[in-house]
Amino acid sequence: MGLGMGLAPDTLLDVRGLEVVFAQPDGPVYAVNGASFHVRRGEWLGILGESGSGKSVSLLSILGLLGDNGRVTAGEAWFDGEDLLRLPERHLRTIRGRRIGVVFQSVSAGLNPFLRVGAQVMEPMLQHHFCGKAEARQRALALLAEMGIPDPETRFHSFPFELSGGMRQRVMTAVALACDPDLLIADEPTTALDTTVQVQVLRVLRDACARRRMATIMVTHDIGVAANVCDRVLVMYAGMVMEVCPIDEFIERPAHPYTLALRASHLDVRHRRKPLVSIPGTAPVLREPPRGCPFAERCAFAADVCRRERPPLMPLAEPAAAAGTGAPSDRHWVACHRAKEVVALGDHAVVDRR
Ligand SMILES: Nc1ncnc2c1ncn2[C@@H]1O[C@H](COP(=O)(O)OP(=O)(O)OP(=O)(O)O)[C@@H](O)[C@H]1O
Ligand code: SF4
Ligand SMILES: [Mg+2]
């Protein structure tokens, strides 16, 4: 149940038409506006997008972790045959932390300041009856060591405030992996880490992903990290999925003007240069549902139709030479009225039209 047309049988999570609204004293905020995405077992999906684009809210909402003022107003989130958005909280709690591990963006949200580190890594294993106490202790120590935490025996007895921000983030990752989850949801899991530790943590996650066929959804601001570890990337803007494709397509054949702008504002993923092109304008906070394309105000390609009609997420045609036919591909999806022209221009689109 729940698997949409064309999805592989090993699809683990299938989110469709997700909408999230926050109530604010001065009116609603439309944070997620019809986002659809999926992840397969063993696959690593990266989520990119500027601050406020709805990355965290999309993930928190399917975990049932929106604050009191947040509400899912539409959508489905099928996880291994169950719609997470319709499960009672009691049932969801048996999945969260056990079958879905979570690394929160905010370190303070992820760890209990009054509980020692070792106890926090053991907690999900004991709570979900994953194993006995002695084994949980051994596993916790092994996970802390795996995360590159020096002297794990000592750190096991530390409180979170005794650790650096980077170490706390690694402890959170250990907590998330404690019960061998099928899916890891990690919101900026390596942002606070220095480069060496970042590589180490990513390697551990990559190994865990491969060994257990664990699927990973990782939010990151770092296109370089996404390019190195992700199988596919999803680009979000104004709570909508603008483009989703395999990482090689993201690098070689981006089809959305926002993806191009985002790439140009970061490390040049192909040439490892840093062109300092910033995206003109700012990301909107939507006080009403988007009517046309929410990127139109900032887009050099915007035409009348863009302001009138919201572009649906559609499969992009394969290059005629590669596919033989130029038929639509189910690998690469894009929400742009002018995607064909954009993909034809490639990176020149950013430079030429400015
Ligand atoms: N509790 C809340 N109450 C009201 N609005 C909220 C709340 N949480 C998020 N929002 C709004 O929802 C939108 C999406 O926020 P979200 O946290 O998902 O962004 P993000 O893409 O994760 O950004 P960042 O990269 O900064 O983490 C933003 O406009 C944000 O202001
Ligand atoms: S739909 Fe129009 S405004 Fe939106 S990204 Fe495409 S060209 Fe730009
Ligand atoms: Mg966020």
Side-chain angles (χ1 to χ4, degrees):
M1 250 313 273
L3 290 187
M5 293 267 294
L7 284 186
D10 62 352
T11 300
L12 183 63
L13 176 73
D14 176 22
V15 177
R16 314 210 137 233
L18 181 66
E19 294 182 8
V20 179
V21 181
F22 285 102
Q24 290 287 73
D26 54 347
V29 170
Y30 292 81
V32 183
N33 299 293
S36 299
F37 55 92
H38 70 274
V39 65
R40 296 167 66 168
R41 288 184 191 276
E43 187 186 43
W44 196 313
L45 176 70
I47 302 189
L48 298 166
E50 279 168 294
S51 190
S53 55
K55 306 180 297 293
S56 298
V57 170
S58 298
L59 299 176
L60 290 172
S61 63
I62 60 178
L63 293 164
L65 296 174
L66 288 178
D68 289 342
N69 64 333
R71 201 159 58 88
V72 175
T73 50
E76 300 168 12
W78 293 95
F79 174 73
D80 208 10
E82 291 182 297
D83 183 359
L84 298 178
L85 299 179
R86 277 159 192 85
L87 287 185
E89 170 58 23
R90 189 171 28 88
H91 190 152
L92 199 53
R93 237 182 280 137
T94 65
I95 295 177
R96 215 170 42 215
R98 168 67 189 88
R99 299 202 55 210
I100 305 181
V102 188
V103 181
F104 294 97
Q105 181 171 16
S106 144
V107 174
S108 55
L111 291 178
N112 180 340
F114 305 111
L115 210 57
R116 291 179 201 275
V117 159
Q120 302 207 41
V121 184
M122 287 171 66
E123 191 179 71
M125 296 185 257
L126 301 179
Q127 188 197 333
H128 295 289
H129 307 291
F130 181 75
C131 58
K133 207 168 174 182
E135 191 184 340
R137 190 176 192 285
Q138 286 312 313
R139 281 181 58 85
L141 281 167
L143 276 162
L144 292 175
E146 221 182 332
M147 284 297 142
I149 293 186
D151 195 4
E153 282 280 358
T154 307
R155 291 307 180 197
F156 191 90
H157 300 287
S158 302
F159 286 101
F161 73 86
E162 296 175 274
L163 307 183
S164 67
M167 261 206 257
R168 287 201 292 264
Q169 204 161 19
R170 280 180 275 166
V171 171
M172 284 203 312
T173 311
V175 174
L177 293 179
C179 291
D180 261 348
D182 297 311
L183 171 65
L184 177 72
I185 289 186
D187 200 343
E188 307 265 7
T190 59
T191 305
L193 307 179
D194 65 42
T195 313
T196 326
V197 180
Q198 184 173 331
V199 169
Q200 189 175 359
V201 170
L202 287 171
R203 195 176 299 138
V204 171
L205 291 180
R206 185 91 236 174
D207 288 350
C209 203
R211 209 171 41 239
R212 297 178 272 228
R213 294 200 75 216
M214 181 179 81
T216 303
I217 301 180
M218 181 178 73
V219 174
T220 179
H221 272 110
D222 191 328
I223 290 184
V225 165
N228 279 320
V229 300
C230 294
D231 300 304
R232 284 190 302 130
V233 282
L234 181 155
V235 177
M236 272 194 103
Y237 188 80
M240 286 169 56
V241 176
M242 292 292 169
E243 184 160 16
V244 57
C245 60
I247 189 69
D248 56 323
E249 291 272 299
F250 174 84
I251 292 169
E252 299 299 334
R253 217 167 68 98
H256 197 287
Y258 180 60
T259 308
L260 281 167
L262 201 63
R263 284 165 29 120
S265 67
H266 286 70
L267 179 73
D268 181 324
V269 284
R270 268 190 296 186
H271 304 109
R272 309 276 159 192
R273 286 187 287 111
K274 253 193 181 162
L276 295 171
V277 184
S278 65
I279 309 175
T282 51
V285 174
L286 297 187
R287 308 310 303 240
E288 55 185 57
R291 231 169 272 141
C293 172
F295 191 55
E297 294 309 312
R298 303 168 76 187
C299 180
F301 286 81
D304 286 348
V305 63
C306 304
R307 296 186 181 86
R308 257 193 341 259
E309 289 171 30
R310 207 199 285 194
L313 192 63
M314 300 274 284
L316 183 74
E318 287 281 4
T325 59
S329 149
D330 62 355
R331 293 168 10 104
H332 194 153
W333 293 67
V334 59
C336 173
H337 291 302
R338 305 187 65 185
K340 266 192 213 151
E341 296 154 73
V342 177
V343 82
L345 279 169
D347 283 319
H348 299 294
V350 177
V351 179
D352 290 349
R353 303 185 70 90
R354 222 151 265 233

